DNA sequence: GTTTGTGCAAATTTTTTGCATTACA
DNA sequence: TGTAATGCAAAAAATTTGCACAAAC
């Protein structure tokens, strides 16, 4: 599936969701979805706002927050809180479940996947009689040779 | 080790840290440490502020933020970000490493421990050539019978 | 006696809300 | 055309900063 195909499919999901819940299908909402899926990276609301403004969209922060809320509800995006007081988001349609490794030197975010997390999740749900709906595993640390290769550009020390 | 003994030990750690780093040992700093260790639960800065004010401490938010920064640096407390724009903290001296299960209905936080997380952590560190310093695994969901028993008091639906 | 740390209030940063206007249905 | 959604700006919430005074060292 190409990125354009993914965007078309995601828009279909969004259309369905909006219809089902009696929300209007505004241009702004689809523009936000499209730009998020074109970004193809983690983003915060302010940077998305600046990004869309730079592409001459007429959009407000209020609409971004509003639309992001809707996109979260229909699972087209995911929200992350990586230990800072700033929420980060990322597209999640047709993107496999994954967790994050956050470099505390260069702020780069790496993704990984491990089936054992699902096992822990369902086991803990059973033991504690809890319906686990989602999980988030964050590994914080420092990239080793990645910073030598120039990936970790903003290394502190 | 009783709680009082833990507090005494934690204060010793803090004293050491402050001396070593040329910071002054002020009454405020030790009061904050003590109140946090007496709380014995997750807390945010504002609630700690209100709590200490109610105990007639003369303390400011600025000092709380400042002291919390120091306590984080010497690992006497841990910071959590459970998907909200509000940092939660908890005492961490003489308290075993654990992860969190967050009920999205009643906001209760349960703790658990699973050795497989350490395995994932070191394996991913090796694969991605990353020095993992810490991890955070959050399981989000809804408590089942706990809410029937009245533990989950603020259940939404 | 210096100088760091404190309280207070003002400033920042991130997110939410109120309201007049726009545009979807 | 009626009403939900928008843009804008102001408010709220969480955290940080500046400055005069207090208290460690």
């Amino acid at each position: 599936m190409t990125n354009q195909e993914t965007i078309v499919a995601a828009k279909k999901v969004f259309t369905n969701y909006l219809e089902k819940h009696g929300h209007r299908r505004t241009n702004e909402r689809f523009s936000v979805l499209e730009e998020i899926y074109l970004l193809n990276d983690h983003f915060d609301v302010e940077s998305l706002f600046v990004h869309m403004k730079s592409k001459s969209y007429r959009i407000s922060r209020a609409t971004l927050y509003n639309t992001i809320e809707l996109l979260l509800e229909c699972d087209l995006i995911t929200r992350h809180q990586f230990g800072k007081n700033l929420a980060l988001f990322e597209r999640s349609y047709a993107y496999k479940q994954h967790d994050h490794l956050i470099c505390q030197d260069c702020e780069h975010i790496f993704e990984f996947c491990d089936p054992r997390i699902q096992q822990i999740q369902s086991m803990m749900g059973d033991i504690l009689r809890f319906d686990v709906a989602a999980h988030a595993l964050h590994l914080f640390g420092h990239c080793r040779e990645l910073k030598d290769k120039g990936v970790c550009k903003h290394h502190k020390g």
Side-chain angles (χ1 to χ4, degrees), chain A residues 1-18 25 29-38 71 74 76 91 93-94:
Chain A
M1 187 145 62
T2 68
N3 201 24
Q4 273 306 323
E5 285 167 348
T6 304
I7 293 177
V8 169
K11 282 188 179 174
K12 233 168 247 170
V13 171
F14 199 26
T15 301
N16 254 301
Y17 170 82
L18 293 173
R25 278 153 283 153
R29 287 176 176 169
F30 288 103
S31 300
V32 171
L33 174 59
E34 182 162 330
E35 289 304 320
I36 288 174
Y37 271 67
L38 285 173
L71 292 172
C74 54
L76 284 170
R91 48 180 274 186
Y93 181 78

PDB file of all heavy atoms in Angstrom, chain A residues 1-18 25 29-38 71 74 76 91 93-94:
ATOM      1  N   MET A   1       0.868  -1.216   0.000  1.00  0.00           N
ATOM      2  CA  MET A   1       0.000   0.000   0.000  1.00  0.00           C
ATOM      3  C   MET A   1       0.885   1.239   0.000  1.00  0.00           C
ATOM      4  O   MET A   1       1.702   1.443   0.891  1.00  0.00           O
ATOM      5  CB  MET A   1      -0.906  -0.031   1.245  1.00  0.00           C
ATOM      6  CG  MET A   1      -1.922   1.072   1.244  1.00  0.00           C
ATOM      7  SD  MET A   1      -3.530   0.670   1.959  1.00  0.00           S
ATOM      8  CE  MET A   1      -3.181   0.273   3.654  1.00  0.00           C
ATOM      9  N   THR A   2       0.743   2.074  -0.992  1.00  0.00           N
ATOM     10  CA  THR A   2       1.517   3.325  -1.036  1.00  0.00           C
ATOM     11  C   THR A   2       0.963   4.293   0.003  1.00  0.00           C
ATOM     12  O   THR A   2      -0.118   4.079   0.551  1.00  0.00           O
ATOM     13  CB  THR A   2       1.405   4.012  -2.413  1.00  0.00           C
ATOM     14  OG1 THR A   2       0.047   4.467  -2.578  1.00  0.00           O
ATOM     15  CG2 THR A   2       1.750   3.051  -3.539  1.00  0.00           C
ATOM     16  N   ASN A   3       1.700   5.357   0.245  1.00  0.00           N
ATOM     17  CA  ASN A   3       1.256   6.338   1.230  1.00  0.00           C
ATOM     18  C   ASN A   3      -0.041   7.011   0.774  1.00  0.00           C
ATOM     19  O   ASN A   3      -0.935   7.241   1.578  1.00  0.00           O
ATOM     20  CB  ASN A   3       2.359   7.382   1.461  1.00  0.00           C
ATOM     21  CG  ASN A   3       2.188   8.086   2.788  1.00  0.00           C
ATOM     22  OD1 ASN A   3       1.576   7.539   3.706  1.00  0.00           O
ATOM     23  ND2 ASN A   3       2.707   9.289   2.885  1.00  0.00           N
ATOM     24  N   GLN A   4      -0.138   7.267  -0.518  1.00  0.00           N
ATOM     25  CA  GLN A   4      -1.360   7.891  -1.037  1.00  0.00           C
ATOM     26  C   GLN A   4      -2.564   6.970  -0.833  1.00  0.00           C
ATOM     27  O   GLN A   4      -3.643   7.433  -0.443  1.00  0.00           O
ATOM     28  CB  GLN A   4      -1.207   8.230  -2.536  1.00  0.00           C
ATOM     29  CG  GLN A   4      -0.577   9.607  -2.797  1.00  0.00           C
ATOM     30  CD  GLN A   4      -1.298  10.746  -2.076  1.00  0.00           C
ATOM     31  OE1 GLN A   4      -2.523  10.754  -1.953  1.00  0.00           O
ATOM     32  NE2 GLN A   4      -0.534  11.710  -1.567  1.00  0.00           N
ATOM     33  N   GLU A   5      -2.359   5.679  -1.056  1.00  0.00           N
ATOM     34  CA  GLU A   5      -3.442   4.710  -0.846  1.00  0.00           C
ATOM     35  C   GLU A   5      -3.842   4.664   0.629  1.00  0.00           C
ATOM     36  O   GLU A   5      -5.017   4.564   0.958  1.00  0.00           O
ATOM     37  CB  GLU A   5      -3.015   3.319  -1.332  1.00  0.00           C
ATOM     38  CG  GLU A   5      -3.008   3.185  -2.858  1.00  0.00           C
ATOM     39  CD  GLU A   5      -2.289   1.923  -3.330  1.00  0.00           C
ATOM     40  OE1 GLU A   5      -1.601   1.273  -2.511  1.00  0.00           O
ATOM     41  OE2 GLU A   5      -2.425   1.593  -4.518  1.00  0.00           O
ATOM     42  N   THR A   6      -2.824   4.753   1.496  1.00  0.00           N
ATOM     43  CA  THR A   6      -3.104   4.754   2.930  1.00  0.00           C
ATOM     44  C   THR A   6      -3.931   5.973   3.309  1.00  0.00           C
ATOM     45  O   THR A   6      -4.884   5.878   4.087  1.00  0.00           O
ATOM     46  CB  THR A   6      -1.784   4.768   3.736  1.00  0.00           C
ATOM     47  OG1 THR A   6      -0.990   3.667   3.351  1.00  0.00           O
ATOM     48  CG2 THR A   6      -2.061   4.700   5.231  1.00  0.00           C
ATOM     49  N   ILE A   7      -3.563   7.115   2.746  1.00  0.00           N
ATOM     50  CA  ILE A   7      -4.292   8.348   3.046  1.00  0.00           C
ATOM     51  C   ILE A   7      -5.748   8.232   2.598  1.00  0.00           C
ATOM     52  O   ILE A   7      -6.673   8.589   3.337  1.00  0.00           O
ATOM     53  CB  ILE A   7      -3.601   9.561   2.378  1.00  0.00           C
ATOM     54  CG1 ILE A   7      -2.236   9.793   3.039  1.00  0.00           C
ATOM     55  CG2 ILE A   7      -4.479  10.802   2.478  1.00  0.00           C
ATOM     56  CD1 ILE A   7      -1.426  10.908   2.420  1.00  0.00           C
ATOM     57  N   VAL A   8      -5.951   7.684   1.396  1.00  0.00           N
ATOM     58  CA  VAL A   8      -7.317   7.503   0.882  1.00  0.00           C
ATOM     59  C   VAL A   8      -8.112   6.593   1.824  1.00  0.00           C
ATOM     60  O   VAL A   8      -9.251   6.900   2.199  1.00  0.00           O
ATOM     61  CB  VAL A   8      -7.294   6.898  -0.549  1.00  0.00           C
ATOM     62  CG1 VAL A   8      -8.692   6.471  -0.971  1.00  0.00           C
ATOM     63  CG2 VAL A   8      -6.721   7.913  -1.537  1.00  0.00           C
ATOM     64  N   ALA A   9      -7.474   5.497   2.249  1.00  0.00           N
ATOM     65  CA  ALA A   9      -8.144   4.555   3.142  1.00  0.00           C
ATOM     66  C   ALA A   9      -8.448   5.195   4.496  1.00  0.00           C
ATOM     67  O   ALA A   9      -9.537   5.024   5.051  1.00  0.00           O
ATOM     68  CB  ALA A   9      -7.271   3.310   3.327  1.00  0.00           C
ATOM     69  N   ALA A  10      -7.487   5.949   5.016  1.00  0.00           N
ATOM     70  CA  ALA A  10      -7.680   6.599   6.313  1.00  0.00           C
ATOM     71  C   ALA A  10      -8.821   7.605   6.235  1.00  0.00           C
ATOM     72  O   ALA A  10      -9.626   7.729   7.163  1.00  0.00           O
ATOM     73  CB  ALA A  10      -6.392   7.290   6.748  1.00  0.00           C
ATOM     74  N   LYS A  11      -8.902   8.311   5.115  1.00  0.00           N
ATOM     75  CA  LYS A  11      -9.991   9.279   4.940  1.00  0.00           C
ATOM     76  C   LYS A  11     -11.341   8.580   4.929  1.00  0.00           C
ATOM     77  O   LYS A  11     -12.329   9.118   5.435  1.00  0.00           O
ATOM     78  CB  LYS A  11      -9.786  10.073   3.642  1.00  0.00           C
ATOM     79  CG  LYS A  11      -8.746  11.169   3.773  1.00  0.00           C
ATOM     80  CD  LYS A  11      -8.717  12.065   2.540  1.00  0.00           C
ATOM     81  CE  LYS A  11      -7.692  13.170   2.715  1.00  0.00           C
ATOM     82  NZ  LYS A  11      -7.543  13.982   1.479  1.00  0.00           N
ATOM     83  N   LYS A  12     -11.351   7.375   4.357  1.00  0.00           N
ATOM     84  CA  LYS A  12     -12.590   6.607   4.324  1.00  0.00           C
ATOM     85  C   LYS A  12     -13.011   6.245   5.746  1.00  0.00           C
ATOM     86  O   LYS A  12     -14.182   6.364   6.120  1.00  0.00           O
ATOM     87  CB  LYS A  12     -12.386   5.348   3.474  1.00  0.00           C
ATOM     88  CG  LYS A  12     -13.439   5.181   2.369  1.00  0.00           C
ATOM     89  CD  LYS A  12     -13.036   4.101   1.383  1.00  0.00           C
ATOM     90  CE  LYS A  12     -12.736   4.691   0.011  1.00  0.00           C
ATOM     91  NZ  LYS A  12     -12.119   3.740  -0.924  1.00  0.00           N
ATOM     92  N   VAL A  13     -12.046   5.805   6.535  1.00  0.00           N
ATOM     93  CA  VAL A  13     -12.316   5.467   7.934  1.00  0.00           C
ATOM     94  C   VAL A  13     -12.863   6.686   8.674  1.00  0.00           C
ATOM     95  O   VAL A  13     -13.837   6.605   9.425  1.00  0.00           O
ATOM     96  CB  VAL A  13     -11.020   4.974   8.637  1.00  0.00           C
ATOM     97  CG1 VAL A  13     -11.234   4.826  10.141  1.00  0.00           C
ATOM     98  CG2 VAL A  13     -10.570   3.658   8.027  1.00  0.00           C
ATOM     99  N   PHE A  14     -12.237   7.828   8.428  1.00  0.00           N
ATOM    100  CA  PHE A  14     -12.630   9.065   9.102  1.00  0.00           C
ATOM    101  C   PHE A  14     -14.042   9.481   8.679  1.00  0.00           C
ATOM    102  O   PHE A  14     -14.881   9.835   9.508  1.00  0.00           O
ATOM    103  CB  PHE A  14     -11.620  10.161   8.761  1.00  0.00           C
ATOM    104  CG  PHE A  14     -11.638  11.338   9.710  1.00  0.00           C
ATOM    105  CD1 PHE A  14     -12.068  11.200  11.033  1.00  0.00           C
ATOM    106  CD2 PHE A  14     -11.198  12.586   9.291  1.00  0.00           C
ATOM    107  CE1 PHE A  14     -12.058  12.294  11.900  1.00  0.00           C
ATOM    108  CE2 PHE A  14     -11.188  13.674  10.156  1.00  0.00           C
ATOM    109  CZ  PHE A  14     -11.624  13.522  11.460  1.00  0.00           C
ATOM    110  N   THR A  15     -14.312   9.402   7.383  1.00  0.00           N
ATOM    111  CA  THR A  15     -15.642   9.726   6.857  1.00  0.00           C
ATOM    112  C   THR A  15     -16.703   8.883   7.551  1.00  0.00           C
ATOM    113  O   THR A  15     -17.719   9.390   8.018  1.00  0.00           O
ATOM    114  CB  THR A  15     -15.702   9.452   5.334  1.00  0.00           C
ATOM    115  OG1 THR A  15     -14.719  10.248   4.691  1.00  0.00           O
ATOM    116  CG2 THR A  15     -17.076   9.789   4.772  1.00  0.00           C
ATOM    117  N   ASN A  16     -16.438   7.596   7.608  1.00  0.00           N
ATOM    118  CA  ASN A  16     -17.335   6.657   8.272  1.00  0.00           C
ATOM    119  C   ASN A  16     -17.597   7.033   9.714  1.00  0.00           C
ATOM    120  O   ASN A  16     -18.730   7.057  10.176  1.00  0.00           O
ATOM    121  CB  ASN A  16     -16.701   5.261   8.263  1.00  0.00           C
ATOM    122  CG  ASN A  16     -17.371   4.367   7.267  1.00  0.00           C
ATOM    123  OD1 ASN A  16     -18.566   4.138   7.352  1.00  0.00           O
ATOM    124  ND2 ASN A  16     -16.606   3.907   6.293  1.00  0.00           N
ATOM    125  N   TYR A  17     -16.495   7.325  10.413  1.00  0.00           N
ATOM    126  CA  TYR A  17     -16.597   7.694  11.826  1.00  0.00           C
ATOM    127  C   TYR A  17     -17.432   8.956  11.998  1.00  0.00           C
ATOM    128  O   TYR A  17     -18.317   9.011  12.859  1.00  0.00           O
ATOM    129  CB  TYR A  17     -15.207   7.887  12.428  1.00  0.00           C
ATOM    130  CG  TYR A  17     -15.237   8.503  13.804  1.00  0.00           C
ATOM    131  CD1 TYR A  17     -15.471   7.722  14.944  1.00  0.00           C
ATOM    132  CD2 TYR A  17     -15.064   9.879  13.961  1.00  0.00           C
ATOM    133  CE1 TYR A  17     -15.524   8.300  16.193  1.00  0.00           C
ATOM    134  CE2 TYR A  17     -15.119  10.449  15.222  1.00  0.00           C
ATOM    135  CZ  TYR A  17     -15.353   9.662  16.327  1.00  0.00           C
ATOM    136  OH  TYR A  17     -15.411  10.227  17.559  1.00  0.00           O
ATOM    137  N   LEU A  18     -17.165   9.957  11.180  1.00  0.00           N
ATOM    138  CA  LEU A  18     -17.872  11.233  11.302  1.00  0.00           C
ATOM    139  C   LEU A  18     -19.362  11.046  11.036  1.00  0.00           C
ATOM    140  O   LEU A  18     -20.210  11.551  11.781  1.00  0.00           O
ATOM    141  CB  LEU A  18     -17.273  12.264  10.340  1.00  0.00           C
ATOM    142  CG  LEU A  18     -15.833  12.713  10.669  1.00  0.00           C
ATOM    143  CD1 LEU A  18     -15.286  13.603   9.564  1.00  0.00           C
ATOM    144  CD2 LEU A  18     -15.770  13.422  12.006  1.00  0.00           C
ATOM    145  N   ARG A  25     -18.464  16.636   7.969  1.00  0.00           N
ATOM    146  CA  ARG A  25     -17.221  16.356   7.240  1.00  0.00           C
ATOM    147  C   ARG A  25     -16.682  17.647   6.663  1.00  0.00           C
ATOM    148  O   ARG A  25     -16.975  18.009   5.536  1.00  0.00           O
ATOM    149  CB  ARG A  25     -17.505  15.329   6.138  1.00  0.00           C
ATOM    150  CG  ARG A  25     -17.531  13.888   6.630  1.00  0.00           C
ATOM    151  CD  ARG A  25     -18.390  12.998   5.781  1.00  0.00           C
ATOM    152  NE  ARG A  25     -19.811  13.209   6.059  1.00  0.00           N
ATOM    153  CZ  ARG A  25     -20.784  12.990   5.182  1.00  0.00           C
ATOM    154  NH1 ARG A  25     -20.506  12.565   3.976  1.00  0.00           N
ATOM    155  NH2 ARG A  25     -22.040  13.213   5.524  1.00  0.00           N
ATOM    156  N   ARG A  29     -11.044  19.211   8.701  1.00  0.00           N
ATOM    157  CA  ARG A  29     -10.800  17.902   9.301  1.00  0.00           C
ATOM    158  C   ARG A  29     -10.016  16.981   8.375  1.00  0.00           C
ATOM    159  O   ARG A  29      -9.075  16.305   8.800  1.00  0.00           O
ATOM    160  CB  ARG A  29     -12.144  17.274   9.711  1.00  0.00           C
ATOM    161  CG  ARG A  29     -12.710  17.965  10.936  1.00  0.00           C
ATOM    162  CD  ARG A  29     -14.083  17.489  11.356  1.00  0.00           C
ATOM    163  NE  ARG A  29     -14.457  18.149  12.592  1.00  0.00           N
ATOM    164  CZ  ARG A  29     -15.670  18.123  13.131  1.00  0.00           C
ATOM    165  NH1 ARG A  29     -16.655  17.473  12.538  1.00  0.00           N
ATOM    166  NH2 ARG A  29     -15.909  18.755  14.258  1.00  0.00           N
ATOM    167  N   PHE A  30     -10.402  16.993   7.092  1.00  0.00           N
ATOM    168  CA  PHE A  30      -9.686  16.122   6.161  1.00  0.00           C
ATOM    169  C   PHE A  30      -8.292  16.646   5.844  1.00  0.00           C
ATOM    170  O   PHE A  30      -7.360  15.864   5.612  1.00  0.00           O
ATOM    171  CB  PHE A  30     -10.531  15.920   4.896  1.00  0.00           C
ATOM    172  CG  PHE A  30     -11.725  15.042   5.151  1.00  0.00           C
ATOM    173  CD1 PHE A  30     -12.996  15.584   5.289  1.00  0.00           C
ATOM    174  CD2 PHE A  30     -11.563  13.664   5.298  1.00  0.00           C
ATOM    175  CE1 PHE A  30     -14.090  14.764   5.568  1.00  0.00           C
ATOM    176  CE2 PHE A  30     -12.658  12.843   5.569  1.00  0.00           C
ATOM    177  CZ  PHE A  30     -13.919  13.396   5.710  1.00  0.00           C
ATOM    178  N   SER A  31      -8.150  17.968   5.869  1.00  0.00           N
ATOM    179  CA  SER A  31      -6.819  18.550   5.652  1.00  0.00           C
ATOM    180  C   SER A  31      -5.867  18.148   6.764  1.00  0.00           C
ATOM    181  O   SER A  31      -4.716  17.803   6.520  1.00  0.00           O
ATOM    182  CB  SER A  31      -6.909  20.080   5.601  1.00  0.00           C
ATOM    183  OG  SER A  31      -7.743  20.485   4.545  1.00  0.00           O
ATOM    184  N   VAL A  32      -6.371  18.217   8.004  1.00  0.00           N
ATOM    185  CA  VAL A  32      -5.531  17.852   9.145  1.00  0.00           C
ATOM    186  C   VAL A  32      -5.107  16.392   9.024  1.00  0.00           C
ATOM    187  O   VAL A  32      -3.920  16.066   9.149  1.00  0.00           O
ATOM    188  CB  VAL A  32      -6.283  18.090  10.469  1.00  0.00           C
ATOM    189  CG1 VAL A  32      -5.500  17.507  11.647  1.00  0.00           C
ATOM    190  CG2 VAL A  32      -6.536  19.579  10.680  1.00  0.00           C
ATOM    191  N   LEU A  33      -6.076  15.518   8.740  1.00  0.00           N
ATOM    192  CA  LEU A  33      -5.763  14.094   8.581  1.00  0.00           C
ATOM    193  C   LEU A  33      -4.700  13.900   7.508  1.00  0.00           C
ATOM    194  O   LEU A  33      -3.708  13.202   7.713  1.00  0.00           O
ATOM    195  CB  LEU A  33      -7.036  13.327   8.211  1.00  0.00           C
ATOM    196  CG  LEU A  33      -6.866  11.846   7.863  1.00  0.00           C
ATOM    197  CD1 LEU A  33      -6.263  11.078   9.022  1.00  0.00           C
ATOM    198  CD2 LEU A  33      -8.201  11.228   7.464  1.00  0.00           C
ATOM    199  N   GLU A  34      -4.895  14.548   6.375  1.00  0.00           N
ATOM    200  CA  GLU A  34      -3.958  14.398   5.259  1.00  0.00           C
ATOM    201  C   GLU A  34      -2.554  14.862   5.632  1.00  0.00           C
ATOM    202  O   GLU A  34      -1.571  14.152   5.394  1.00  0.00           O
ATOM    203  CB  GLU A  34      -4.470  15.191   4.049  1.00  0.00           C
ATOM    204  CG  GLU A  34      -3.576  15.056   2.838  1.00  0.00           C
ATOM    205  CD  GLU A  34      -4.280  15.454   1.562  1.00  0.00           C
ATOM    206  OE1 GLU A  34      -5.524  15.285   1.470  1.00  0.00           O
ATOM    207  OE2 GLU A  34      -3.595  15.959   0.655  1.00  0.00           O
ATOM    208  N   GLU A  35      -2.476  16.034   6.252  1.00  0.00           N
ATOM    209  CA  GLU A  35      -1.153  16.562   6.598  1.00  0.00           C
ATOM    210  C   GLU A  35      -0.438  15.678   7.617  1.00  0.00           C
ATOM    211  O   GLU A  35       0.764  15.486   7.543  1.00  0.00           O
ATOM    212  CB  GLU A  35      -1.260  17.995   7.113  1.00  0.00           C
ATOM    213  CG  GLU A  35      -1.600  19.008   6.033  1.00  0.00           C
ATOM    214  CD  GLU A  35      -0.607  18.985   4.868  1.00  0.00           C
ATOM    215  OE1 GLU A  35       0.602  18.853   5.124  1.00  0.00           O
ATOM    216  OE2 GLU A  35      -1.048  19.078   3.704  1.00  0.00           O
ATOM    217  N   ILE A  36      -1.201  15.153   8.565  1.00  0.00           N
ATOM    218  CA  ILE A  36      -0.602  14.250   9.549  1.00  0.00           C
ATOM    219  C   ILE A  36      -0.042  13.014   8.858  1.00  0.00           C
ATOM    220  O   ILE A  36       1.066  12.576   9.140  1.00  0.00           O
ATOM    221  CB  ILE A  36      -1.645  13.838  10.613  1.00  0.00           C
ATOM    222  CG1 ILE A  36      -1.955  15.020  11.538  1.00  0.00           C
ATOM    223  CG2 ILE A  36      -1.147  12.637  11.415  1.00  0.00           C
ATOM    224  CD1 ILE A  36      -3.076  14.768  12.526  1.00  0.00           C
ATOM    225  N   TYR A  37      -0.795  12.467   7.914  1.00  0.00           N
ATOM    226  CA  TYR A  37      -0.348  11.257   7.239  1.00  0.00           C
ATOM    227  C   TYR A  37       0.782  11.524   6.248  1.00  0.00           C
ATOM    228  O   TYR A  37       1.556  10.630   5.916  1.00  0.00           O
ATOM    229  CB  TYR A  37      -1.533  10.533   6.595  1.00  0.00           C
ATOM    230  CG  TYR A  37      -2.171   9.562   7.579  1.00  0.00           C
ATOM    231  CD1 TYR A  37      -2.830  10.026   8.711  1.00  0.00           C
ATOM    232  CD2 TYR A  37      -2.043   8.183   7.405  1.00  0.00           C
ATOM    233  CE1 TYR A  37      -3.363   9.148   9.637  1.00  0.00           C
ATOM    234  CE2 TYR A  37      -2.584   7.294   8.330  1.00  0.00           C
ATOM    235  CZ  TYR A  37      -3.242   7.782   9.442  1.00  0.00           C
ATOM    236  OH  TYR A  37      -3.751   6.901  10.361  1.00  0.00           O
ATOM    237  N   LEU A  38       0.881  12.778   5.781  1.00  0.00           N
ATOM    238  CA  LEU A  38       2.009  13.127   4.908  1.00  0.00           C
ATOM    239  C   LEU A  38       3.275  13.333   5.735  1.00  0.00           C
ATOM    240  O   LEU A  38       4.377  13.045   5.300  1.00  0.00           O
ATOM    241  CB  LEU A  38       1.692  14.401   4.108  1.00  0.00           C
ATOM    242  CG  LEU A  38       0.710  14.225   2.943  1.00  0.00           C
ATOM    243  CD1 LEU A  38       0.338  15.570   2.345  1.00  0.00           C
ATOM    244  CD2 LEU A  38       1.297  13.299   1.873  1.00  0.00           C
ATOM    245  N   LEU A  71      -9.647  12.228  15.758  1.00  0.00           N
ATOM    246  CA  LEU A  71      -8.759  11.234  15.152  1.00  0.00           C
ATOM    247  C   LEU A  71      -8.287  10.213  16.178  1.00  0.00           C
ATOM    248  O   LEU A  71      -8.082   9.040  15.852  1.00  0.00           O
ATOM    249  CB  LEU A  71      -7.558  11.931  14.499  1.00  0.00           C
ATOM    250  CG  LEU A  71      -7.882  12.777  13.269  1.00  0.00           C
ATOM    251  CD1 LEU A  71      -6.664  13.578  12.816  1.00  0.00           C
ATOM    252  CD2 LEU A  71      -8.389  11.897  12.121  1.00  0.00           C
ATOM    253  N   CYS A  74     -11.154   7.613  16.712  1.00  0.00           N
ATOM    254  CA  CYS A  74     -11.334   6.557  15.701  1.00  0.00           C
ATOM    255  C   CYS A  74     -10.007   5.894  15.375  1.00  0.00           C
ATOM    256  O   CYS A  74      -9.858   5.271  14.321  1.00  0.00           O
ATOM    257  CB  CYS A  74     -12.056   7.082  14.467  1.00  0.00           C
ATOM    258  SG  CYS A  74     -11.315   8.512  13.715  1.00  0.00           S
ATOM    259  N   LEU A  76      -7.140   6.759  14.371  1.00  0.00           N
ATOM    260  CA  LEU A  76      -6.335   7.098  13.195  1.00  0.00           C
ATOM    261  C   LEU A  76      -5.012   7.713  13.609  1.00  0.00           C
ATOM    262  O   LEU A  76      -4.072   7.783  12.820  1.00  0.00           O
ATOM    263  CB  LEU A  76      -7.113   8.051  12.263  1.00  0.00           C
ATOM    264  CG  LEU A  76      -8.202   7.348  11.453  1.00  0.00           C
ATOM    265  CD1 LEU A  76      -9.090   8.362  10.734  1.00  0.00           C
ATOM    266  CD2 LEU A  76      -7.569   6.407  10.424  1.00  0.00           C
ATOM    267  N   ARG A  91       0.502   9.037  13.283  1.00  0.00           N
ATOM    268  CA  ARG A  91      -0.502   8.308  12.516  1.00  0.00           C
ATOM    269  C   ARG A  91      -0.482   6.854  12.940  1.00  0.00           C
ATOM    270  O   ARG A  91       0.573   6.295  13.249  1.00  0.00           O
ATOM    271  CB  ARG A  91      -0.204   8.408  11.028  1.00  0.00           C
ATOM    272  CG  ARG A  91       1.262   8.112  10.711  1.00  0.00           C
ATOM    273  CD  ARG A  91       1.531   8.217   9.255  1.00  0.00           C
ATOM    274  NE  ARG A  91       1.214   6.937   8.604  1.00  0.00           N
ATOM    275  CZ  ARG A  91       1.464   6.679   7.332  1.00  0.00           C
ATOM    276  NH1 ARG A  91       2.000   7.616   6.562  1.00  0.00           N
ATOM    277  NH2 ARG A  91       1.151   5.521   6.804  1.00  0.00           N
ATOM    278  N   TYR A  93      -2.996   4.413  11.377  1.00  0.00           N
ATOM    279  CA  TYR A  93      -3.729   3.527  10.464  1.00  0.00           C
ATOM    280  C   TYR A  93      -2.739   2.768   9.596  1.00  0.00           C
ATOM    281  O   TYR A  93      -1.805   3.347   9.052  1.00  0.00           O
ATOM    282  CB  TYR A  93      -4.693   4.327   9.577  1.00  0.00           C
ATOM    283  CG  TYR A  93      -5.479   3.443   8.641  1.00  0.00           C
ATOM    284  CD1 TYR A  93      -6.566   2.707   9.105  1.00  0.00           C
ATOM    285  CD2 TYR A  93      -5.115   3.328   7.295  1.00  0.00           C
ATOM    286  CE1 TYR A  93      -7.277   1.877   8.256  1.00  0.00           C
ATOM    287  CE2 TYR A  93      -5.818   2.496   6.440  1.00  0.00           C
ATOM    288  CZ  TYR A  93      -6.902   1.775   6.922  1.00  0.00           C
ATOM    289  OH  TYR A  93      -7.601   0.948   6.084  1.00  0.00           O
ATOM    290  N   ALA A  94      -2.951   1.467   9.468  1.00  0.00           N
ATOM    291  CA  ALA A  94      -2.101   0.609   8.650  1.00  0.00           C
ATOM    292  C   ALA A  94      -0.644   0.714   9.083  1.00  0.00           C
ATOM    293  O   ALA A  94       0.279   0.731   8.282  1.00  0.00           O
ATOM    294  CB  ALA A  94      -2.227   0.965   7.161  1.00  0.00           C
TER     295      ALA A  94
END
